[in-house]
């Protein structure tokens, strides 16, 4: 079955540091890949996505590239801010069930940015 | 503003009691989902529904029940058969067949069993 593995947290960085959160996946077929973000006390929001190999998703300074050869979708940001403190989830789609949007999520990585 | 509304935000339950969590959406989405979030385990799918009057079990459906009588509503009942119900529950929706993979989430309901 499908699975997503992301680096365990928590991750603590100083403001303006470079961020990488690793994500690898196992899937049949050609899934789409996503990063969702959960701010404290809220539900999840889509941060970025990539639908095919070599696509790069980007939003709010975050980027991730769909690497089929390494089955990875690592999240990066060049200079983090305190407001980026949140839990980040890597996910993949399973469209085998009549196009239903069943997503498989990783366990989440808690990121804390220190001023 | 369109969105998903979950209620209540916090709920306490005694052991042996059933409890129903509400989820309403005004996004005109066909598909709706319930996920459970536990620390260190990410999100796990409980039930999902692609259309009114139809729903499917997810990965951890035991001890839960749902109904989908209206397009806008997808309530989740946590029954007394659920062995470890204390968790954060998230409802989501999407346009069925859109193939975008984008889910829209509510703010969640935190259930604590005393």
């Amino acid at each position: 079955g499908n699975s997503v593995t992301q680096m365990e947290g928590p991750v603590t960085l100083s403001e303006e540091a470079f961020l990488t959160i690793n994500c690898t996946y196992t899937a049949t077929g050609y899934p789409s890949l996503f990063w969702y973000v959960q701010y404290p006390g809220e539900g999840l929001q889509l941060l970025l996505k990539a639908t095919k190999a070599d696509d790069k998703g980007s939003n709010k300074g975050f980027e991730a590239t769909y690497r089929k050869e390494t089955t990875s979708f690592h999240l990066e940001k060049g200079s983090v801010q305190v407001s980026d403190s949140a839990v980040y989830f890597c996910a993949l789609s399973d469209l085998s069930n009549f196009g239903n949007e069943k997503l498989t999520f990783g366990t989440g990585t808690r990121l804390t940015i220190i001023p | 503003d369109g969105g998903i509304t979950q209620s209540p935000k916090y709920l306490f339950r005694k052991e042996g009691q059933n409890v129903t969590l509400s989820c309403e959406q005004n996004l005109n989405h066909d598909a709706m989902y319930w996920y459970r979030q536990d620390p260190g385990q990410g999100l796990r799918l409980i039930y999902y529904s692609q259309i009114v009057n139809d729903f499917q079990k997810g990965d951890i459906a035991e001890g839960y029940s749902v109904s989908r009588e209206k397009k806008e509503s997808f309530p989740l009942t946590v029954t007394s058969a659920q062995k470890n119900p204390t968790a954060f529950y998230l409802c989501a929706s999407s346009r069925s067949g859109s193939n975008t993979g984008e889910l829209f989430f509510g703010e969640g309901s935190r259930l604590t069993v005393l």
Side-chain angles (χ1 to χ4, degrees):
Chain A
N2 297 335
S3 67
V4 175
T5 303
Q6 59 181 108
M7 65 187 285
E8 291 192 18
V11 174
T12 303
L13 295 172
S14 297
E15 205 165 20
E16 299 183 3
F18 184 86
L19 168 71
T20 300
I21 300 178
N22 289 339
C23 172
T24 58
Y25 67 90
T26 303
T28 55
Y30 303 96
S32 294
L33 301 173
F34 309 86
W35 279 99
Y36 278 79
V37 59
Q38 184 179 33
Y39 297 105
E42 299 183 9
L44 278 69
Q45 304 172 24
L46 179 65
L47 179 60
L48 54 83
K49 67 180 182 183
T51 57
K52 61 184 187 296
D54 299 324
D55 267 3
K56 178 186 284 188
S58 61
N59 186 24
K60 299 182 181 179
F62 290 89
E63 292 183 341
T65 301
Y66 190 148
R67 302 284 188 202
K68 191 168 185 296
E69 63 276 12
T70 55
T71 62
S72 65
F73 193 55
H74 305 321
L75 183 68
E76 297 182 335
K77 186 174 185 182
S79 177
V80 292
Q81 307 299 314
V82 172
S83 57
D84 295 327
S85 298
V87 181
Y88 292 82
F89 292 90
C90 186
L92 65 80
S93 65
D94 174 5
L95 301 180
S96 61
N97 188 10
F98 307 107
N100 189 47
E101 313 290 15
K102 283 181 63 181
L103 295 187
T104 300
F105 286 88
T107 54
T109 302
R110 182 175 299 278
L111 174 67
T112 301
I113 306 301
I114 299 173
Chain B
D1 286 337
I4 298 182
T5 302
Q6 289 187 239
S7 63
K9 195 163 185 175
Y10 299 96
L11 187 60
F12 297 89
R13 184 193 98 176
K14 293 182 180 178
E15 280 194 30
Q17 289 181 334
N18 291 354
V19 62
T20 297
L21 307 180
S22 169
C23 178
E24 303 278 333
Q25 54 101 356
N26 60 5
L27 299 168
N28 200 32
H29 286 169
D30 291 307
M32 297 186 74
Y33 313 78
W34 275 104
Y35 284 89
R36 171 181 169 139
Q37 184 178 12
D38 295 283
Q41 295 196 51
L43 277 70
R44 292 180 290 169
L45 182 64
I46 304 172
Y47 268 98
Y48 63 99
S49 167
Q50 293 176 270
I51 197 168
V52 174
N53 292 323
D54 184 54
F55 48 82
Q56 309 294 329
K57 292 183 179 180
D59 301 319
I60 55 165
E62 185 176 350
Y64 299 97
S65 66
V66 293
S67 63
R68 187 84 187 277
E69 296 177 1
K70 299 186 301 182
K71 186 176 185 177
E72 301 81 14
S73 179
F74 192 41
L76 173 74
T77 297
V78 185
T79 75
S80 57
Q82 168 51 233
K83 292 185 173 59
N84 186 19
T86 295
F88 190 53
Y89 291 89
L90 285 163
C91 180
S93 71
S94 71
R95 285 183 295 152
S96 187
S98 66
N99 290 352
T100 65
E102 182 170 3
L103 299 185
F104 293 80
F105 283 85
E107 293 190 346
S109 294
R110 186 168 297 281
L111 172 63
T112 302
V113 174
L114 304 173

